[in-house]
Amino acid sequence: MGTTRRGWTAPVNRVSDSEHPRAGEPLHIDLDQENDPYADDPKWPAWKVTLAVVFFCAAFWSGISYLATRIFG
């Protein structure tokens, strides 16, 4: 009852494997903001995104509750 399943091992993530690329693989890190294709796009403020999500969720759950009350009385 205290034995583990045979043939199954959990994946192991070692720090040495995750910080360095594989042997022979070049490291691709683009720190230049000039190459960002979305740099010129306007960004929405966080409060507008929050309001949009809250209103969408409120409308969705209001519709679900309306349908539930119409179906189940």
Side-chain angles (χ1 to χ4, degrees):
M1 190 159 177
T3 60
T4 60
R5 289 188 260 167
R6 293 178 186 254
W8 183 84
T9 57
V12 176
N13 295 327
R14 294 186 177 92
V15 174
S16 61
D17 293 340
S18 63
E19 290 181 353
H20 303 292
R22 294 180 183 156
E25 182 178 332
L27 182 61
H28 298 288
I29 297 178
D30 185 18
L31 298 177
D32 295 332
Q33 296 297 330
E34 298 171 0
N35 295 334
D36 187 9
Y38 302 108
D40 296 334
D41 289 348
K43 309 264 187 303
W44 282 24
W47 67 269
K48 284 186 179 180
V49 174
T50 303
L51 284 179
V53 169
V54 167
F55 285 138
F56 177 79
C57 291
F60 175 78
W61 288 112
S62 296
I64 294 295
S65 63
Y66 174 77
L67 289 175
T69 55
R70 297 295 286 174
I71 292 173
F72 299 117

